[in-house]
Amino acid sequence: MSPPHSNASTEAATLKAYVEQALTHPLSKHLFDDRARYLCVVDPDGTVVFVNESGISASGLRPDDIIGQPVWTIPVFHGDDQAETQWRARLSDAASTDAPLAFDEYYELEGVGSRMRTELWAIRSEGGQLLGYFARTTDVDQVRRAQERVRDQAARLQASEVQFRVMTEALPQMAWVVRAPDEYLYLAPKWEAFTGRSPEELLEKGVMDLVHPDDRVVVERDGFRRDRVGDSLVFRMLRHDGEYRWVEARMAAVDDPDGGTRWFGVTLDITDRIEQELELRRHEEQLRATLELTGFGTYVWLVPEDRFSEDSQLEEILGVPMDAMKTGNAYELFFSIVHAEDRAQAQASIAAAMQPGGPNYEAEFRIIRPAGGGHEERWVSAMGTIDFDDRGEPLRLIGVFADITDQRLEEAGRLRLQKMEAIGTLASGIAHDFNNVIGAILSYARVAEAEIRAGASPDASIAEIARGAHRAGDIVKRLLTFSRDVEHRRVAFQLAEVVEEAETLLRPTLPSTVVIRASYPETLPAVIGDPTQLHQVVVNLVTNAGQALGAAGGSIELAITPVKVGARPTGITSGLEPGQYLSLTVADDGPGMSEAVAARIFDPFFTTKTESDGTGLGLAAVQSIIKNHGGSVAVETSPGNGARFTVYVPVASADAPGARQPEPTGPLPESAGGARVLFVDDEQALVRLAYRAMPYHGCVVTGFTDPREALAVFEADPQAFDALVTDYSMPGLTGLELTKSVLAIRPELPVVLTSGYLTAAAQGEAERHGVGAVVSKPCSIDTLASEVMRLLA
C-alpha cells in the first residue's frame, strides 16, 4: 500500500523545489559527488526526484534515465520481482517514524560484488506534512577498501623511508641531503668513514670546510644550480688522513611544499679513476695497433676540413681508395658507398653525435664495394666519439670500423632457428584453436543439413559456418605472419594491434595458471618499423615470461606508453635519439634473475635452459631487432621480484608509408554483367566452389586444376575470356609463369593472383609483369569476384 499523503502533486513540487535549492548551495558538490554513496530523493509515491550522478554512474546510467521513474526500478536498489511490494512497505515504515530506516543488501556493480547499506528518511515540511523520502545507500565494501588503501599507502611510505636509508648506506658513493645552501639534513655513514668526523659534527658544520681552498669557489658557485642538474662536479676534498682526494658529486633538486629546495646527491672518491685515465692515455697507441690486428679499421674525420686521416685497414674494409677522402669532401664521398636504404639512419647518427652533450657515434649499415669486376653488399659497424673545441664546435670524429657481414649472417640463421622453436611452442595453441573452429563448422554443417531436410531456413547455421571459416583463416594468417621470412620493410603501424595479435596467438600456449593483463591507451601514435619483426619481439618476450612463471603460474603485464626523449637522455633511454617513442613493457611476477644472469641475457650464446628445454627464444635477436629499429630494450629484475622488459620504438613521422589494410570480407552486390573468368587452381574444391559461387557475382567460370590445360584452352581462343584468376603455387606451371604466357598473347587481360605465401620480392615481380591484384589466401570468393569486377571497371 502507498504511504499516507494528502496532495501528491503539491508535495512533489514542494520537494522538488527543496532539492533544487539544496543543489545551489556551495557545499552541494561535496555533499552529492561521492561514488561510494548513492543518494536518491523520491516523492511520497516513490517517484525519483533526484539522484547523484557520481553514485548512479556505477550502473552505467545517467540521472535523466532515472528521474521520473519509481525508486524500485533503479539498478542500484532493484532486487527481484517483489521489489515494488518491498519498497512500498519500506516507504510506509519510514513514514511512520522520525528515525532512519536501515537495511542491508548485496549487489554486483561494475563487475564487483559489494555489500550495500541503505538508510531511508522521511522528509517533512515545517508543519509535519510528508514531502517525500531521502535514501542514502553506502557501498560498505568500497569504503572498507578505501580505508585499506590508505593504510597500505602509509605502510609503503614507512617502508620507502627504510629502503632509502638501506639503499644509501649500501651505495659505494657517499649520499647526502641538503636544504640549500647549507642546512644538512642527512649524511650517509660513509661520510664519517671518509672524513673521520662524527655524525653530529657533520650535520652541524657540514663538509664545505673540507673542500680544497682552490676548488671552494667553484663548488659554492656551481654546486646548487638547477641548470647543472645531471652534470657532475669534480673537486678535491680532505680525507681523514690529511690527503686531498679527487671526488665527483652528482645531485638532483626537489622542491618542498614550503617553497624551499632539497638537494639529493652522491659523492664518490674518483682519485683511482683519474689515475687510471692517465694510464689509459699512455696505452692508446698500443690499443690502435691491437685494433688493426683484430681487423678493425681506425679513422679520424677532421670535421672543419672534411677529410679523413690515413688508414690502410679502413681502405681494405671499404674496398675503395682513401686518397680522395684525404683531400676533402670526405663526407659526401663516404656516404656515396653507403646503401641507399641505410644512408639516412647512418647520417642521423653522426648528426646526433655532433651535438654537444649528444651520444657517441654508433651505427650499423650496409656498404656497396667493388668485388670481382662487379659490386657486393657488406655490413659494417662504425663507432666513434667527437672532440669539440671551446666553443662547442666539432673538431674531429675518432673511431673504428669493422666488417660484421659474417656476424650478420650468423645472426640471421640464429633468428630463423629461434623462430622455428617459437613456432613449435605455439603449435599446441594453434591446434587447440583450429580444432575448436573445425568442430564448430562441422557441427553447424550437420545442423544446416537437418534444417534443410525439415524445411527450415539454414541461414543462421550457414552464417555460423562462414564465421568459423573466417576465424580459421585468421588463425592461419597469424601463424604465417610469425613464420614468414619476409624482407624487412619499414611502415607506419599501430603497435597495440601487433601486441594484441601476439597476445591472442599466445594465450592458448600458456598454462591456465598464467594470466595476461594488458593496458593500452585508447589513442596512440603509429610507430615506424617492420610489423612482423615487432610481432616476433612480443612473442619472444611473452613466451619467455610464461616460461619463467612455469606451472606455478602468475601474471604477465603488457603496457604501452608514449614517451618523449629529450636532448640528453639518461638511464634506459641513454642510447636513443631525441624524439617521440612508444615504450612497450612486458613484466612478470615470476622468480626473477640474479644480477649475474641479467647481465648476460642479451649475449648471443647465453641461455639458462637445459638442453632438453631448447635454446631459448632469442633475447639477443630481440635486442638486435629493436636496435635496428632505432630503439632500445632493457630489463629490470632481481631474485624473487620477477622481470620487467621495456622496449622503446620510434614514433612514425606524418609522411611515413602506412601498413597495408586487410582485405574486405563482407558480401558484394551481385553484378548484372557476365564476366568470363578463366579460374585456375590445383585445389579441386576451390574450382568447384568458383563454379557455384562466382555466378552470383556476375562471373561465368571456366575452371582448371592443371595450369597447362588452362593455357592450351586460352591459346586456342584468347578472346573467350575477360579475366584470369590463378593460384601462384601449382605443379607443372606456376601462376606467374601462366600469367606471363597469357599476357604475352593479351597484354590488357585483367589478372588476379592468389597465394598463401608470397614474398615482397615475388609480389613486386608479379606486379611488374602485369598482375592487377594479389590476394592472400585464405580468401573468399566474394573478394576474388570483387577484384575481378574492379579490374574490369
Side-chain angles (χ1 to χ4, degrees):
M1 60 179 292
S2 302
H5 58 279
S6 58
N7 189 328
S9 62
T10 301
E11 295 161 359
T14 304
L15 179 61
K16 186 174 186 295
Y18 280 6
V19 172
E20 291 175 347
Q21 182 180 2
L23 291 177
T24 62
H25 194 279
L27 294 178
S28 65
K29 177 175 178 59
H30 302 284
L31 292 172
F32 301 125
D33 189 10
D34 187 353
R35 287 181 60 85
R37 290 177 173 85
Y38 311 95
L39 311 179
C40 178
V41 179
V42 301
D43 66 11
D45 281 330
T47 300
V48 177
V49 176
F50 166 81
V51 291
N52 65 321
E53 183 172 1
S54 58
I56 203 67
S57 64
S59 64
L61 300 174
R62 301 172 301 173
D64 291 344
D65 300 323
I66 302 300
I67 294 174
Q69 303 296 323
V71 66
W72 46 83
T73 65
I74 301 178
V76 175
F77 299 136
H78 184 59
D80 50 29
D81 295 339
Q82 303 300 319
E84 180 178 358
T85 302
Q86 188 179 41
W87 266 95
R88 288 192 180 278
R90 290 171 179 170
L91 295 176
S92 179
D93 292 344
S96 64
T97 179
D98 292 333
L101 177 67
F103 52 90
D104 291 345
E105 293 181 299
Y106 183 84
Y107 299 105
E108 185 167 318
L109 297 174
E110 297 180 315
V112 178
S114 293
R115 182 166 55 91
M116 315 292 277
R117 173 166 298 166
T118 300
E119 298 169 282
L120 186 65
W121 285 270
I123 303 175
R124 303 182 186 277
S125 66
E126 294 179 359
Q129 181 181 4
L130 179 67
L131 299 178
Y133 302 90
F134 175 74
R136 179 180 67 186
T137 298
T138 302
D139 188 331
V140 179
D141 290 337
Q142 183 175 347
V143 173
R144 174 183 54 77
R145 288 192 291 267
Q147 293 171 345
E148 290 176 351
R149 285 196 296 270
V150 172
R151 288 195 295 270
D152 290 344
Q153 290 172 354
R156 286 197 298 269
L157 178 60
Q158 182 178 7
S160 67
E161 293 178 355
V162 174
Q163 291 171 356
F164 172 77
R165 291 187 175 274
V166 171
M167 179 187 68
T168 55
E169 292 174 9
L171 287 172
Q173 300 96 332
M174 299 177 290
W176 48 268
V177 182
V178 174
R179 186 187 293 271
D182 56 6
E183 182 184 352
Y184 287 80
L185 304 178
Y186 172 76
L187 291 166
K190 285 187 173 62
W191 279 102
E192 182 180 4
F194 183 84
T195 64
R197 296 183 178 182
S198 67
E200 294 76 15
E201 182 181 0
L202 287 171
L203 289 174
E204 179 182 357
K205 296 183 178 180
V207 297
M208 283 298 295
D209 62 324
L210 299 176
V211 177
H212 194 285
D214 294 343
D215 300 338
R216 199 166 296 164
V217 174
V218 176
V219 173
E220 292 174 346
R221 182 190 66 200
D222 298 336
F224 300 102
R225 284 172 46 188
R226 285 185 178 271
D227 59 344
R228 289 186 56 85
V229 170
D231 294 342
S232 62
L233 190 65
V234 178
F235 53 93
R236 288 163 290 178
M237 179 172 279
L238 185 65
R239 196 167 60 179
H240 62 83
D241 58 1
E243 178 185 354
Y244 277 102
R245 304 282 292 180
W246 284 100
V247 297
E248 179 184 52
R250 294 181 179 272
M251 62 210 72
V254 176
D255 292 329
D256 286 334
D258 60 3
T261 302
R262 281 178 297 162
W263 291 83
F264 292 78
V266 291
T267 302
L268 180 65
D269 185 336
I270 61 169
T271 305
D272 294 339
R273 191 181 80 189
I274 289 180
E275 292 176 352
Q276 290 172 358
E277 289 174 354
L278 293 174
E279 181 70 16
L280 184 61
R281 291 192 186 99
R282 288 193 290 267
H283 291 286
E284 282 183 350
E285 289 302 321
Q286 296 177 3
L287 176 60
R288 176 183 288 270
T290 302
L291 288 172
E292 291 178 355
L293 290 174
T294 55
F296 281 86
T298 60
Y299 66 92
V300 177
W301 176 37
L302 305 174
V303 179
E305 296 100 28
D306 191 16
R307 63 183 180 87
F308 276 16
S309 65
E310 177 72 39
D311 194 315
S312 59
Q313 189 73 16
L314 179 62
E315 182 172 306
E316 182 178 339
I317 292 174
L318 298 179
V320 295
M322 296 295 297
D323 293 341
M325 297 187 189
K326 290 187 295 183
T327 58
N329 202 28
Y331 183 89
E332 183 177 345
L333 291 172
F334 172 76
F335 279 103
S336 66
I337 66 173
V338 175
H339 196 290
E341 295 180 2
D342 302 339
R343 194 171 298 152
Q345 181 180 350
Q347 290 173 330
S349 299
I350 288 184
M354 292 177 67
Q355 300 299 319
N360 286 335
Y361 172 54
E362 185 175 352
E364 292 182 2
F365 48 87
R366 291 164 292 177
I367 61 172
I368 308 299
R369 70 177 193 179
H375 293 83
E376 67 174 351
E377 181 182 294
R378 305 289 293 181
W379 277 96
V380 297
S381 173
M383 294 170 285
T385 183
I386 301 283
D387 283 344
F388 296 91
D389 61 19
D390 296 337
R391 298 173 300 167
E393 297 295 329
L395 287 177
R396 62 185 68 85
L397 171 59
I398 305 171
V400 294
F401 260 97
D403 188 322
I404 59 169
T405 305
D406 293 341
Q407 294 93 311
R408 277 277 184 165
L409 294 175
E410 292 175 1
E411 181 180 287
R414 187 168 58 252
L415 188 61
R416 284 192 292 271
L417 290 175
Q418 290 157 356
K419 288 177 69 172
M420 292 302 297
E421 181 175 343
I423 292 171
T425 303
L426 298 173
S428 61
I430 293 295
H432 177 271
D433 274 6
F434 208 84
N435 285 337
N436 287 343
V437 171
I438 295 301
I441 291 174
L442 292 174
S443 297
Y444 276 110
R446 295 190 187 100
V447 171
E449 290 176 353
E451 289 170 339
I452 292 172
R453 286 195 298 269
S457 172
D459 290 351
S461 298
I462 292 174
E464 291 296 337
I465 292 172
R467 188 176 294 111
H470 284 301
R471 172 63 178 154
D474 289 340
I475 294 173
V476 172
K477 286 180 179 178
R478 286 206 307 271
L479 186 59
L480 289 176
T481 296
F482 183 73
S483 63
R484 287 175 179 172
D485 186 16
V486 299
E487 291 83 354
H488 305 325
R489 68 192 195 282
R490 298 294 174 90
V491 296
F493 64 95
Q494 288 295 326
L495 181 60
E497 294 179 1
V498 171
V499 176
E500 289 173 350
E501 183 73 16
E503 177 191 347
T504 303
L505 183 68
L506 288 168
R507 278 188 185 276
T509 73
L510 299 174
S512 60
T513 53
V514 174
V515 178
I516 300 180
R517 298 188 178 93
S519 173
Y520 320 125
E522 291 185 2
T523 303
L524 285 171
V527 297
I528 185 72
D530 186 328
T532 300
Q533 287 193 327
L534 267 297
H535 187 278
Q536 182 181 354
V537 167
V538 179
V539 168
N540 284 355
L541 293 178
V542 175
T543 302
N544 280 353
Q547 291 177 345
L549 294 172
S555 63
I556 300 174
E557 304 289 340
L558 299 176
I560 300 176
T561 307
V563 174
K564 181 179 181 180
V565 176
R568 295 186 178 182
T570 58
I572 186 176
T573 64
S574 59
L576 298 175
E577 301 292 335
Q580 300 291 336
Y581 293 80
L582 289 187
S583 73
L584 166 63
T585 300
V586 180
D588 66 75
D589 54 5
M593 293 175 278
S594 67
E595 184 177 351
V597 171
R600 297 192 59 196
I601 57 174
F602 294 113
D603 291 354
F605 302 104
F606 177 74
T607 179
T608 58
K609 296 184 177 183
T610 63
E611 184 175 352
S612 61
D613 291 334
T615 59
L617 291 174
L619 288 176
V622 167
Q623 186 183 53
S624 176
I625 290 172
I626 298 303
K627 183 177 179 181
N628 289 335
H629 277 72
S632 66
V633 57
V635 63
E636 302 170 64
T637 183
S638 61
N641 293 315
R644 174 180 296 271
F645 286 86
T646 304
V647 172
Y648 287 85
V649 184
V651 168
S653 60
D655 57 350
R660 174 168 294 187
Q661 297 300 313
E663 297 287 349
T665 58
L668 301 170
E670 295 188 13
S671 172
R676 300 165 299 173
V677 176
L678 179 60
F679 193 95
V680 188
D681 196 300
D682 59 339
E683 182 60 50
Q684 180 66 48
L686 291 180
V687 176
R688 290 198 303 269
L689 178 61
Y691 268 120
R692 297 185 61 185
M694 291 191 76
Y696 290 103
H697 300 280
C699 298
V700 179
V701 171
T702 301
F704 294 91
T705 57
D706 187 335
R708 291 166 296 192
E709 292 182 10
L711 179 58
V713 170
F714 181 85
E715 289 173 339
D717 188 1
Q719 301 302 321
F721 302 99
D722 299 317
L724 168 64
V725 177
T726 178
D727 186 26
Y728 178 80
S729 179
M730 295 182 294
L733 198 66
T734 68
L736 187 55
E737 291 170 339
L738 174 62
T739 298
K740 293 178 183 177
S741 299
V742 167
L743 294 182
I745 301 171
R746 281 189 59 190
E748 80 288 355
L749 187 74
V751 177
V752 177
L753 184 68
T754 66
S755 174
Y757 169 48
L758 200 62
T759 65
Q763 182 168 332
E765 182 183 5
E767 293 171 353
R768 286 194 301 272
H769 284 86
V771 172
V774 178
V775 178
S776 298
K777 286 185 174 181
C779 58
S780 68
I781 291 296
D782 295 354
T783 300
L784 295 179
S786 176
E787 289 297 331
V788 169
M789 290 303 183
R790 181 180 65 82
L791 295 178
L792 287 173

